Amino acid sequence: MEREPRTSLPVPARQTAPVAVSVPALDRVLALQRSAGNAAVTRLLARSPLADQVKAAPDKGAVFALLRKQGGPVTDADTISAVQALYAQGTDDRWLADQLVTYGPEPLWPATALADRSRRSTAGKWAPEPGNISAVIAPPDKDPDDANAKPVVAYFFPGQSERRALIIGGVHGSEPQGVEVVESLRGELEKACAAGKPPYFTVILIPALNARTRGKSRYVPRDPKESAKQTLDQGIEPNRSFPAPGEDYADARARVAAGKPELVYTPPPGQKMPAATGHETSKMLPETRALIALIERFSPERIASVHAHGISAGDAKVGDDPGIFVDPATDDAAAGEQLGKRMLAEGKAHAGQLPTGRKDPFRGNVGDSVTYDPNAPHARGYSLGSWAPAPTKTRKGISTVTVEVPQYGGDAAATQQVENLDRDILLNIFLGPNPKQNP
Ligand SMILES: [Zn+2]
C-alpha cells in the first residue's frame, strides 16, 4: 500500500502579532489561527487527499473501499472526522467505518470484531457483499529475513455464521495444484457471496503462503543468491518451521529474548531424535510468522492446507499418497475426525466423474482412514498440522485438514477436474453450508 503524499506547510510558532508573508495559503492559516486558535490550524494543515476522496465518494461502498485500500489502520485525523461526519453514531455503517479505521481491512481484524460483524450483518440483513477483501499480513516482528519473502496476501469472505475457517495453499512452491484449488475457491466464493449465498463459515483464504517459492521449489532458500541445487539440498522445509505444540508465538519469541533458539524440537516420548535432513531450521520463516499472527488474531476453529502429492507405484500408502487427512484438534478429536470423514465421503461420492484411467484421488485414505500413518518417519521440526491442533494458553485446538491433490503430470484436463473436485469438497463440506451438518 502507498499512502498519498501530504502537502506540508511550515507550522508557524504561536504569535502575538501577524507577520508579513507572501504565500496566500499561509495568510489564510494565520488568519484562521487568529480567529480559531492552533487546533483548527493543525487540522487545516493536516488536510489529506484521502479525506477529500472520502468526501467525494459517490456511496458508502466507495467509502469503505477507500478505507480498506489503506491496508491498515487509518490515523489521519482529517479522514477520521470526514468519515464520522458521514454516518451517525450507533448505525451499522458507522460501526463498520470505525472498525476499518481502527484495524484496516477485515483480514486484519481480531476475532471479536469479526464475530460482531457477522451478528450485525445477519441481524441487520446487510445487502449481499462479494467479500474477497484483501490485505497483506505482516509478520509481527521485523527481521532481516523479511526482505527475502514475498507478501502474504489474505482474502476475507463473510459467512452466514460467526464460526471461522482458514484455508491456505502454496505452503510448498512445488505444488501449484494447491494454489490453483484455493484460487478457484476464491472465485466461487465471490460469486456465491455476491449472489447472497455466502458459505456457512466466515473464511479467510491465503492462496499462496510461501509465494517466493511458487513454481520453483518445495524448500525455501536460506540465501536468495543460492543455486536451485543448493535449495534442493539444504533449503528450509517451510512446513517444519512452527513452534512446538502448546506454544504461542510469544512463547517462541520469549526464547529468543532469553538468548535461545526460537524453535526447538523434542521427539515424542519414547522416540529418538530423527536423523537430520539438512532442511531443518531453528527460526520461523517470515511467512510462518505472518500466518501464525493471522491464526492467533482470526482464531479459526478449523484450517485446511491444500498441498499436492505424487501417486505411489504399487500398493497405496496410508497417509503418503493423494487424499484427505486430518490432524484433529487434540481437545476435540472426535469432531476433527468426523470432519475429515465427511470430506472424504463427499469426494468419493463424486470421484466417479473423473476421467477413466486416473487412479483414485483418495488412494492415501486406505480403508477410508483419514489419519496419518502413526509409524511414518518424522522430520525434525513441527508442522502446521502438529502445532495448530494443540490448544495453547490463549486458544483452543484447531482441527487441521491436509488436502493432497493428486499430481497427474501433464494431463491438464484431469488436473482441472480433480482440482474442481477438491475445491467443491472445501466449499460444500469444509465451509458448510448446513449448520446441522457441521458438528
Ligand atoms: Zn506439500
Side-chain angles (χ1 to χ4, degrees), residues 308-376:
H309 204 293
I311 299 159
S312 64
D315 290 341
K317 292 180 183 163
V318 179
D320 190 15
D321 245 326
I324 291 172
F325 310 98
V326 63
D327 290 293
T330 56
D331 49 352
D332 195 0
E337 171 103 9
Q338 201 182 345
L339 171 63
K341 285 201 177 295
R342 286 178 41 239
M343 292 175 70
L344 177 62
E346 171 81 358
K348 287 199 156 186
H350 295 93
Q353 297 162 8
L354 291 169
T356 51
R358 280 299 167 196
K359 292 184 178 171
D360 180 0
F362 309 105
R363 69 188 246 115
N365 297 109
V366 178
D368 284 349
S369 163
V370 290
T371 48
Y372 287 99
D373 178 0
N375 299 315

Side-chain angles (χ1 to χ4, degrees), residues 171-172 174-175 218 237 239 306-308 402 404:
V171 168
H172 293 129
S174 52
E175 299 166 6
R218 175 184 185 90
E237 164 55 80
N239 205 19
V306 191
H307 290 244
T402 304
E404 296 282 2

